[in-house]
Amino acid sequence: MALNNTYDARLVQQETAVGAGVQILLLALLGSAIGMGPAGWLTGLAFAVASWAVLSRALHRSRLRSFGPANRVTLGRATLVGGVTALVADSFESTPPVTLLVGLTAVALILDGVDGKVARRTGTSTALGARFDMEVDAFLILVLSVYVSMALGPWVLLIGGMRYVFVAAARVAPWLNAALPPSMARKTVAALQGICLLVAGADLLPHAANFGIMLLALGSLLWSFGRDVLWLWRTSRAESELPAEQRVLELA
């Protein structure tokens, strides 16, 4: 897909505005279908506004010449995540249809494997697109962990909160910000979290089975984060022990 040769902020920002509009339309459809309460409405609207604001700022700073087809897929996924977020918030006041919640989540998880392929096939992969995709994934996992924790206990929140704890820790320990090597195991574990949360949230299996599934998900996530943190720490130590002249050459 050919990109424009000039940067036009209005054209790029219009797409985020459309995304926010579609999000509000989805909330309206959900509200009319299930009679969503104030908690669901307010949370869904807050998600729409926050997503629009953060994405608009990121686009302005990156100066992308085109929003790109892959980012459109991710934006559609973010819209579904906003719907899931509203339903989970509404579940504190009432019982939303599990089928609807599972359906929106399943489509969002399926689309997670689409945007990356679209970016590679159209040659529109960007750092912003990768970060956008990652943040949507992380927030969906957080929301699902909140929902499942109401049935299985607050320990499930560790699954959704672990990445945010890692980001917070990186502010104190900058060596955690170093780039990690590609890892199929890391991608597999990340995908497993959404699938396990979806299965547990559907509540089709006995309580003990759901409990075991979530233990498996948490255990694999702890292993994945632990392995990455250990690699980052060892790499940081190795670099700090290099002579100053060699470190300068590697940074050049």
mmCIF file of all heavy atoms in Angstrom, residues 151-152 155 200 203-216:
data_model
loop_
_atom_site.group_PDB
_atom_site.id
_atom_site.type_symbol
_atom_site.label_atom_id
_atom_site.label_comp_id
_atom_site.label_asym_id
_atom_site.label_seq_id
_atom_site.Cartn_x
_atom_site.Cartn_y
_atom_site.Cartn_z
ATOM 1 N N ALA A 151 -14.982 -14.486 40.145
ATOM 2 C CA ALA A 151 -15.414 -15.866 40.384
ATOM 3 C C ALA A 151 -14.327 -16.716 41.026
ATOM 4 O O ALA A 151 -14.618 -17.601 41.832
ATOM 5 C CB ALA A 151 -15.859 -16.506 39.067
ATOM 6 N N LEU A 152 -13.057 -16.431 40.677
ATOM 7 C CA LEU A 152 -11.967 -17.283 41.134
ATOM 8 C C LEU A 152 -11.092 -16.665 42.211
ATOM 9 O O LEU A 152 -10.251 -17.356 42.797
ATOM 10 C CB LEU A 152 -11.092 -17.699 39.940
ATOM 11 C CG LEU A 152 -11.791 -18.508 38.848
ATOM 12 C CD1 LEU A 152 -10.802 -18.862 37.743
ATOM 13 C CD2 LEU A 152 -12.420 -19.770 39.425
ATOM 14 N N TRP A 155 -6.406 -13.215 43.128
ATOM 15 C CA TRP A 155 -5.094 -13.621 42.636
ATOM 16 C C TRP A 155 -5.026 -13.618 41.113
ATOM 17 O O TRP A 155 -3.937 -13.468 40.530
ATOM 18 C CB TRP A 155 -4.726 -15.012 43.170
ATOM 19 C CG TRP A 155 -5.641 -16.117 42.722
ATOM 20 C CD1 TRP A 155 -6.779 -16.531 43.318
ATOM 21 C CD2 TRP A 155 -5.475 -16.947 41.549
ATOM 22 N NE1 TRP A 155 -7.357 -17.567 42.610
ATOM 23 C CE2 TRP A 155 -6.570 -17.847 41.524
ATOM 24 C CE3 TRP A 155 -4.514 -17.016 40.549
ATOM 25 C CZ2 TRP A 155 -6.729 -18.795 40.523
ATOM 26 C CZ3 TRP A 155 -4.665 -17.968 39.547
ATOM 27 C CH2 TRP A 155 -5.762 -18.840 39.541
ATOM 28 N N ALA A 200 -12.219 -19.451 31.028
ATOM 29 C CA ALA A 200 -12.679 -19.322 32.410
ATOM 30 C C ALA A 200 -13.855 -18.359 32.508
ATOM 31 O O ALA A 200 -14.805 -18.588 33.269
ATOM 32 C CB ALA A 200 -11.530 -18.852 33.299
ATOM 33 N N ASP A 203 -17.317 -19.750 31.688
ATOM 34 C CA ASP A 203 -17.904 -20.509 32.798
ATOM 35 C C ASP A 203 -18.646 -21.753 32.303
ATOM 36 O O ASP A 203 -19.708 -22.108 32.814
ATOM 37 C CB ASP A 203 -18.850 -19.612 33.609
ATOM 38 C CG ASP A 203 -19.094 -20.172 35.010
ATOM 39 O OD1 ASP A 203 -18.244 -20.932 35.492
ATOM 40 O OD2 ASP A 203 -20.141 -19.846 35.593
ATOM 41 N N LEU A 204 -18.056 -22.424 31.318
ATOM 42 C CA LEU A 204 -18.653 -23.652 30.805
ATOM 43 C C LEU A 204 -18.112 -24.884 31.520
ATOM 44 O O LEU A 204 -18.709 -25.963 31.449
ATOM 45 C CB LEU A 204 -18.378 -23.771 29.302
ATOM 46 C CG LEU A 204 -18.994 -22.681 28.411
ATOM 47 C CD1 LEU A 204 -18.538 -22.858 26.971
ATOM 48 C CD2 LEU A 204 -20.503 -22.694 28.510
ATOM 49 N N LEU A 205 -16.982 -24.731 32.190
ATOM 50 C CA LEU A 205 -16.337 -25.851 32.867
ATOM 51 C C LEU A 205 -16.569 -25.763 34.371
ATOM 52 O O LEU A 205 -16.917 -24.703 34.896
ATOM 53 C CB LEU A 205 -14.825 -25.832 32.566
ATOM 54 C CG LEU A 205 -14.431 -25.930 31.087
ATOM 55 C CD1 LEU A 205 -12.921 -25.802 30.943
ATOM 56 C CD2 LEU A 205 -14.917 -27.236 30.486
ATOM 57 N N PRO A 206 -16.347 -26.837 35.081
ATOM 58 C CA PRO A 206 -16.467 -26.798 36.539
ATOM 59 C C PRO A 206 -15.495 -25.797 37.157
ATOM 60 O O PRO A 206 -14.458 -25.465 36.562
ATOM 61 C CB PRO A 206 -16.124 -28.235 36.963
ATOM 62 C CG PRO A 206 -16.389 -29.058 35.747
ATOM 63 C CD PRO A 206 -16.064 -28.190 34.579
ATOM 64 N N HIS A 207 -15.829 -25.337 38.361
ATOM 65 C CA HIS A 207 -15.007 -24.338 39.040
ATOM 66 C C HIS A 207 -13.560 -24.810 39.179
ATOM 67 O O HIS A 207 -12.618 -24.039 38.940
ATOM 68 C CB HIS A 207 -15.595 -24.046 40.425
ATOM 69 C CG HIS A 207 -14.837 -23.012 41.198
ATOM 70 N ND1 HIS A 207 -15.072 -21.665 41.053
ATOM 71 C CD2 HIS A 207 -13.832 -23.139 42.110
ATOM 72 C CE1 HIS A 207 -14.258 -20.997 41.855
ATOM 73 N NE2 HIS A 207 -13.498 -21.866 42.509
ATOM 74 N N ALA A 208 -13.367 -26.074 39.539
ATOM 75 C CA ALA A 208 -12.015 -26.600 39.723
ATOM 76 C C ALA A 208 -11.218 -26.569 38.418
ATOM 77 O O ALA A 208 -10.011 -26.287 38.422
ATOM 78 C CB ALA A 208 -12.086 -28.027 40.265
ATOM 79 N N ALA A 209 -11.876 -26.851 37.306
ATOM 80 C CA ALA A 209 -11.198 -26.831 36.011
ATOM 81 C C ALA A 209 -10.775 -25.409 35.642
ATOM 82 O O ALA A 209 -9.653 -25.180 35.176
ATOM 83 C CB ALA A 209 -12.107 -27.411 34.935
ATOM 84 N N ASN A 210 -11.684 -24.451 35.846
ATOM 85 C CA ASN A 210 -11.344 -23.052 35.575
ATOM 86 C C ASN A 210 -10.193 -22.591 36.461
ATOM 87 O O ASN A 210 -9.303 -21.851 36.010
ATOM 88 C CB ASN A 210 -12.569 -22.166 35.806
ATOM 89 C CG ASN A 210 -13.615 -22.331 34.723
ATOM 90 O OD1 ASN A 210 -13.300 -22.639 33.570
ATOM 91 N ND2 ASN A 210 -14.870 -22.125 35.075
ATOM 92 N N PHE A 211 -10.215 -23.020 37.714
ATOM 93 C CA PHE A 211 -9.145 -22.667 38.646
ATOM 94 C C PHE A 211 -7.804 -23.207 38.140
ATOM 95 O O PHE A 211 -6.790 -22.504 38.144
ATOM 96 C CB PHE A 211 -9.462 -23.235 40.036
ATOM 97 C CG PHE A 211 -8.656 -22.626 41.145
ATOM 98 C CD1 PHE A 211 -9.113 -21.517 41.822
ATOM 99 C CD2 PHE A 211 -7.434 -23.184 41.512
ATOM 100 C CE1 PHE A 211 -8.373 -20.949 42.854
ATOM 101 C CE2 PHE A 211 -6.688 -22.631 42.539
ATOM 102 C CZ PHE A 211 -7.152 -21.510 43.210
ATOM 103 N N GLY A 212 -7.803 -24.452 37.687
ATOM 104 C CA GLY A 212 -6.582 -25.053 37.177
ATOM 105 C C GLY A 212 -6.079 -24.379 35.915
ATOM 106 O O GLY A 212 -4.867 -24.185 35.738
ATOM 107 N N ILE A 213 -7.009 -24.000 35.053
ATOM 108 C CA ILE A 213 -6.636 -23.312 33.811
ATOM 109 C C ILE A 213 -5.956 -21.984 34.115
ATOM 110 O O ILE A 213 -4.936 -21.624 33.508
ATOM 111 C CB ILE A 213 -7.878 -23.100 32.925
ATOM 112 C CG1 ILE A 213 -8.334 -24.431 32.336
ATOM 113 C CG2 ILE A 213 -7.594 -22.100 31.810
ATOM 114 C CD1 ILE A 213 -9.664 -24.359 31.622
ATOM 115 N N MET A 214 -6.506 -21.254 35.081
ATOM 116 C CA MET A 214 -5.928 -19.957 35.414
ATOM 117 C C MET A 214 -4.591 -20.111 36.128
ATOM 118 O O MET A 214 -3.700 -19.269 35.973
ATOM 119 C CB MET A 214 -6.904 -19.142 36.258
ATOM 120 C CG MET A 214 -8.195 -18.766 35.533
ATOM 121 S SD MET A 214 -7.940 -18.251 33.807
ATOM 122 C CE MET A 214 -6.760 -16.922 33.987
ATOM 123 N N LEU A 215 -4.434 -21.164 36.908
ATOM 124 C CA LEU A 215 -3.131 -21.432 37.519
ATOM 125 C C LEU A 215 -2.080 -21.709 36.443
ATOM 126 O O LEU A 215 -0.933 -21.257 36.536
ATOM 127 C CB LEU A 215 -3.223 -22.617 38.473
ATOM 128 C CG LEU A 215 -3.779 -22.351 39.870
ATOM 129 C CD1 LEU A 215 -3.830 -23.654 40.657
ATOM 130 C CD2 LEU A 215 -2.934 -21.322 40.615
ATOM 131 N N LEU A 216 -2.487 -22.470 35.412
ATOM 132 C CA LEU A 216 -1.589 -22.744 34.295
ATOM 133 C C LEU A 216 -1.194 -21.448 33.586
ATOM 134 O O LEU A 216 -0.018 -21.238 33.258
ATOM 135 C CB LEU A 216 -2.264 -23.696 33.308
ATOM 136 C CG LEU A 216 -1.539 -23.925 31.974
ATOM 137 C CD1 LEU A 216 -0.202 -24.613 32.218
ATOM 138 C CD2 LEU A 216 -2.405 -24.757 31.028
#
